Amino acid sequence: DTAVSQTPKYLVTQMGNDKSIKCEQNLGHDTMYWYKQDSKKFLKIMFSYNNKELIINETVPNRFSPKSPDKAHLNLHINSLELGDSAVYFCASSRGTPTYEQYFGPGTRLTVT
Amino acid sequence: GNSVTQMEGPVTLSEEAFLTINCTYTATGYPSLFWYVQYPGEGLQLLLKATKADDKGSNKGFEATYRKETTSFHLEKGSVQVSDSAVYFCALSYQGGSEKLVFGKGTKLTVNP
């Protein structure tokens, strides 16, 4: 069984479009995260939710809006896509604080043309 | 602020060679320290961790010791295999408002047969 899944795996779209990435975890974890990995592999946290409540909101353009309908799901909606949004986006989950192991999804490679 | 610095890659080794990837950190208080590994085309997975000074984390032949006096958490393996080829990330977690992971920039390791 897949622990953390993301859809889609690849997303190619044009500038100005709106797109969503979905994430689901079946581990029973309380905390979920979105990370962005750039072309140089640098990984930076974007958002974190604990029990559906936003607890980390890094300096991210407000075109990015996370939504957590329940503890097992954390979706990422991006409005008015820009070239610089091209990256791999990873969802992750953990039992509580990051002191516990984080489980990562396989990533969504977003390409904006 | 809190940050992680790891050695620049890429690192290329022959099979059975000794591996060291250096990692140093800057943090207030007593962070937990981690090594995550990313195999090609996959998400990150926890390799090992240490939560207090002098702790040694180990897994799959990899080891790292939490050295508070040198603020380091170097990753070592005595004999690498081709299957160890991946990107390795050093990370720390700290309680800064909301606890989160801060990653180093990653070190790409290639092991040749």
Side-chain angles (χ1 to χ4, degrees), chain A residues 13-33:
Chain A
T13 188
Q14 292 184 326
M15 283 175 54
N17 284 347
D18 303 340
K19 290 293 178 186
S20 291
I21 306 171
K22 295 187 175 183
C23 178
E24 177 181 2
Q25 55 95 2
N26 62 6
L27 298 166
H29 288 164
D30 293 329
T31 307
M32 296 185 72
Y33 313 82

Side-chain angles (χ1 to χ4, degrees), chain A residues 9 35 37 41-43 45 55-56 58 90 97-99 101-102 104-106, chain B residues 32 34 36 38 41-44 46 49 51 89 93 98-101 103 105:
Chain A
K9 190 167 174 61
Y35 289 89
Q37 186 175 49
K41 298 288 189 182
F42 184 58
L43 199 67
I45 190 165
I55 57 171
I56 293 175
E58 291 292 286
F90 287 100
T97 65
T99 305
E101 178 176 357
Q102 287 194 19
F104 282 76
Chain B
S32 295
F34 306 82
Y36 278 81
Q38 184 179 25
E42 298 183 11
L44 280 73
L46 181 67
K49 73 176 188 181
T51 56
F89 293 89
S93 75
S98 297
E99 204 168 320
K100 61 182 179 181
L101 274 182
F103 286 91
K105 292 189 175 181

